[in-house]
Amino acid sequence: MSDNPKGEGRQFSDEELQDLVASTDSGARAPTNPNLAKLIAGLALAWSLFQLWIAQPQLWFAQYVPVLNSSETRPIHLTFAIVLAFLAYPAFKSSPRGHIPVVDWILALGGGFCAFYIFLFSDHLAMTARSGLPTPTQVVIGAAGLLILLEASRRALGPALTIVGSLFLLYAYMGTGWLIPELIEHEGLSFTALINAQWLDTAGVFGIPLGVSTAFVFLFVLFGSLLDKAGAGNYFIKLAFAGLGHLRGGPAKAAVVGSAMTGLISGSSIANVVTTGTFTIPLMKRVGFSNEQAGSVEVASSVNGQIMPPVMGAAAFLMVEFIGISYIEVIKHAFIPAVISYIALVYIVHLEALKKDMPALGESKSFLGMIVKFFIGFAIAGAGFTALIYLVGALRAGLGDLTGVVMMALLGLVYLGLLSVAARRPDLEEDDPNDPNIKLPTVGEVYATGLHYVLPILVLVWFLMVERQSPAKSAFYATSLMLFIIVTQRPLKALFRGLGGEVASEMKNGFTDLRDGLIAGARNMIGIGVATAAAGIIVATVTKTPIGTELAGLVEQLSGGILIVMLILVGLFSLILGMGLPTTANYIVVSSLMASVVVSLGAQEGLIVPLIAAHLFVFYFGIMADVTPPVGLASFAAAAVSGGDPIRTGFTAFFYSLRTVALPFLFIFNPTLILYGVDLGTTAGILQAVFVFVTATFAMLLFAAATQGYFLARSRIYESAALLLVAFTLFVPNVWLDMVQSPFREVPPAQFEQTLGELDEGTRIRLRVEGPDFNTGETAETTLVMNAEGATAQERIDNSGLMLFPEGDTVRLDEPMFGTATAEKLSDFDFYADDPVRLAEVQVPQDRLPAQIFYIPALLLLGLVILLQRHRQTKPAF
């Protein structure tokens, strides 16, 4: 980037940074012909309006306009995405940006037609292709559509997804070859069958990933775009700086918190880095952070925005579809890891400030005092939200169907009240971080200027968590309120300020903001729409070929059946794939191939790994790919802002993100960390969740101190090792307990039915099954996890799908009930061979000591480290 001998990169201008974001997120082409620019903007605007329409069809005009089903909306969604991809993204860096070449017009129209054809002839396709009888014309259109989609993916996302998708297509078509391992060989699909499965059917390109993009993701991206256009992004950054900027290393702490808040409104790591980083990175450098450290803090905090509930990346919505759980369950499981990850990053920044004895910007304030204030504010907000729930319950009891109208009226009054308070203060301006006389605002000056931005977020959380509505409907209601706010906030502020003559012009500005927000939201969706469609190629290949089932055997061979080695392999696989794939596509590929492998190998090692834990594991490593060199796009963006070396920035950011790398391993071995099995509907469950949160936070802070080499003073190697040991014990005390007491006791297979009837309902037991492999005839084995569901032993056996035939001391298994999970897990066994498939081992949980007993030696060891470091401590730890 530069000839600087120190290896520092060139610091980009604001225009270059915006171009960097545009070329990655929304397309770098900016036609000089105003009519072409209006065409692209008009298509983007039409896409946003179409998505708003299909999100809530039960409106007053629904009786006049036909309601579209998912198989009709997905092709239209992809039509917009493909056409805009070719109009907005140049073919190469050297391609013209001021006009659209003829080839791009041909590809845009051709790709748009191939996608729109699926909508236009959906009835005809149901009678032909989807019944297994595609016509030659349909095959040609499907083949052209696939090729154009892969090219659109290359333009919008880089070559990685195009290459991966092409390899999966070749594998599905060829089946065998010198590059294809024998384990995953198959006969190969005919060209017609391949195109039918990938383009003409509803399980390939137009399958679940594109359906999630159509139904959920677009609305959340649009919601964030409108929030940002309204001014919420600047408000959140100012609020973070007002609260934390006065602390030692305050700009970095504010960057972390500001990025956590702006993560609500931006699903893009790169946009988040550039948006918050242009302000935070110069200020971090001013108080003593190096170029690379300043960029790394911004990268680590911005990338983590994708794991922060309630608005997570597109992968969270895919989890809903892939696992079959509600979005509220995904939020529940993701909450504690995300929050403690951010708390730990704030602490890492604090430790860096202590190590370098960094000054505060302005008058220094107490970090511990700020933490206490935060928890007080959090408690007050929680109490207020709880009171609101009871208030709405009382209104429903008294007013019945009128409750909705009354709540809308109250929401409107609250909005007017908050806006009138905001109008008494000047609007927030964006500060120049390079101004030598910068004055940090106070919380009192900032918080009241944008409280009305919290209302749509509150509406989103309310409908998701209290009303238990679908993500699509919740986002629709929140976005609808956001549409109202963006149009009305300017003219209403003018009225409250007594500037009646400016109301008309401010109303016009409000509609301009609305239009720009709708256009920006659609342009930010181009890459996601194309990515989810192209990722459907991988999903269809996994379902149509043996790669999904046989890859488990390959990974098991490579890992030697050792779960921790297999997890490391899966993590590396995610990182390597993610070096060129966006998070969403990376998650789709790796979860399709690996999530079930993690669960099955965990069961064989005696671990009951929930499917959500396996999916979150893959998701966490997927987002790390934005950080990791040599292709960590977020690290390159941060280096462009800071002027630092991008590779060193990436490695430093990865080091700061070690806590995010460690967390997936921890909740695989201790699913309680993701609140799995914790019932938040009971007092005991809430208390357990609070205990888990406090313990995990404390452990994560110790982990951060160990990896940073600083606690109360600079740590010696053995002190860092001791802190790591304490943190590990607090996170997963059950690992030590398993070494002392086995979690299971063995029961003879002949006594299985009797023992099963004596267990409490819901108890999980492990069954090891042995028998001849269907393909090789050799003896194979697998481990099943069975839930004791039912009143009697026979009911529980029937519910599991098992067919058991006791024969003396052995228990023979027949082919399980068709359609059950057990039938799928035992599908590789030959139940008709001479040697029977049998129940080899039964393990049931046994009473043990509480795992928390290992906290005692861990805390004693921590006390020893504290005593050792107290003698060397020269400055307060907080």
Side-chain angles (χ1 to χ4, degrees), residues 269 298-307 342 623-624 626-627 634:
S269 302
E298 185 58 52
V299 170
S301 51
S302 293
V303 168
N304 265 33
Q306 294 184 66
I307 65 173
Y342 265 113
I623 67 167
M624 288 307 300
D626 274 347
V627 177

Side-chain angles (χ1 to χ4, degrees), residues 133-416:
L133 300 169
T135 65
T137 302
Q138 291 169 346
V139 173
V140 170
I141 291 172
L146 277 175
L147 291 173
I148 295 174
L149 172 63
L150 289 172
E151 168 59 12
S153 168
R154 185 195 66 79
R155 292 188 182 209
L157 306 162
L161 184 55
T162 302
I163 293 170
V164 172
S166 301
L167 290 175
F168 270 80
L169 285 173
L170 285 172
Y171 163 71
Y173 176 67
M174 296 172 64
T176 59
W178 63 276
L179 282 175
I180 299 175
E182 184 179 345
L183 188 67
I184 59 172
E185 284 184 347
H186 64 105
E187 293 181 356
L189 300 176
S190 68
F191 184 76
T192 299
L194 177 68
I195 301 303
N196 191 24
Q198 295 287 1
W199 191 270
L200 304 175
D201 201 359
T202 56
V205 168
F206 299 97
I208 287 176
L210 186 64
V212 169
S213 177
T214 306
F216 304 147
V217 180
F218 193 105
L219 282 176
F220 279 85
V221 171
L222 181 60
F223 174 68
S225 175
L226 293 171
L227 258 177
D228 188 47
K229 186 59 67 174
N234 186 41
Y235 171 70
F236 289 146
I237 294 171
K238 284 286 186 72
L239 194 60
F241 268 87
L244 298 168
H246 300 275
L247 303 175
R248 189 192 293 263
K253 292 169 184 169
V256 174
V257 176
S259 294
M261 291 191 288
T262 52
L264 287 170
I265 62 176
S266 171
S268 164
S269 302
I270 295 135
N272 208 354
V273 164
V274 172
T275 302
T276 59
T278 49
F279 185 68
T280 61
I281 288 174
L283 290 181
M284 282 190 264
K285 289 163 63 176
R286 184 181 297 188
V287 297
F289 284 90
S290 68
N291 289 355
E292 286 75 22
Q293 284 179 321
S296 300
V297 170
E298 185 58 52
V299 170
S301 51
S302 293
V303 168
N304 265 33
Q306 294 184 66
I307 65 173
M308 191 70 187
V311 182
M312 300 167 68
F317 303 110
L318 286 160
M319 284 182 206
V320 172
E321 299 296 322
F322 287 169
I323 304 173
I325 61 176
S326 67
Y327 187 64
I328 189 70
E329 284 291 306
V330 174
I331 291 175
K332 168 189 166 182
H333 296 310
F335 182 75
I336 285 182
V339 173
I340 66 174
S341 183
Y342 265 113
I343 291 173
L345 184 55
V346 172
Y347 185 55
I348 286 171
V349 166
H350 179 70
L351 293 176
E352 287 285 3
L354 288 177
K355 282 194 285 186
K356 294 193 171 187
D357 201 18
M358 293 180 186
L361 279 178
E363 183 183 350
S364 180
K365 293 186 179 179
S366 166
F367 182 40
L368 193 58
M370 296 303 296
I371 292 175
V372 171
K373 288 179 182 177
F374 168 78
F375 279 106
I376 291 173
F378 187 79
I380 292 172
F385 194 74
T386 305
L388 181 62
I389 293 173
Y390 282 105
L391 172 64
V392 174
L395 284 174
R396 281 191 177 137
L399 299 176
D401 294 339
L402 290 174
T403 305
V405 177
V406 173
M407 287 302 298
M408 286 181 65
L410 289 174
L411 183 64
L413 290 174
V414 171
Y415 169 60
L416 289 174

Side-chain angles (χ1 to χ4, degrees), residues 42-60:
L43 284 171
L45 181 62
W47 192 8
S48 287
L49 294 175
F50 167 74
Q51 293 290 156
L52 285 170
W53 168 51
I54 65 171
Q56 180 53 281
Q58 289 80 31
L59 294 172
W60 60 269

Side-chain angles (χ1 to χ4, degrees), residues 530-610:
V530 170
T532 50
I537 294 171
I538 289 100
V539 176
T541 302
V542 170
T543 57
K544 297 289 183 182
T545 67
I547 189 171
T549 54
E550 298 299 340
L551 200 63
L554 180 61
V555 173
E556 188 174 358
Q557 286 178 17
L558 291 173
S559 64
I562 302 170
L563 181 61
I564 187 68
V565 176
M566 187 270 295
L567 289 174
I568 292 171
L569 289 174
V570 172
L572 289 173
F573 184 40
S574 300
L575 280 175
I576 292 167
L577 267 179
M579 285 181 182
L581 295 183
T583 305
T584 306
N586 183 3
Y587 166 74
I588 292 169
V589 174
V590 185
S591 65
S592 300
L593 297 174
M594 294 292 173
S596 60
V597 181
V598 174
V599 175
S600 60
L601 282 186
Q604 290 181 28
E605 287 209 4
L607 278 176
I608 299 172
V609 180

Side-chain angles (χ1 to χ4, degrees), residues 588-665:
I588 292 169
V589 174
V590 185
S591 65
S592 300
L593 297 174
M594 294 292 173
S596 60
V597 181
V598 174
V599 175
S600 60
L601 282 186
Q604 290 181 28
E605 287 209 4
L607 278 176
I608 299 172
V609 180
L611 191 56
I612 179 66
H615 279 260
L616 283 172
F617 182 94
V618 171
F619 180 40
Y620 268 57
F621 273 94
I623 67 167
M624 288 307 300
D626 274 347
V627 177
T628 317
V631 198
L633 294 179
S635 297
F636 275 82
V641 178
S642 69
D645 177 73
I647 301 298
R648 281 194 297 181
T649 299
F651 278 115
T652 307
F654 184 80
F655 183 66
Y656 286 159
S657 300
L658 280 176
R659 73 212 187 285
T660 309
V661 175
L663 273 170
F665 290 97

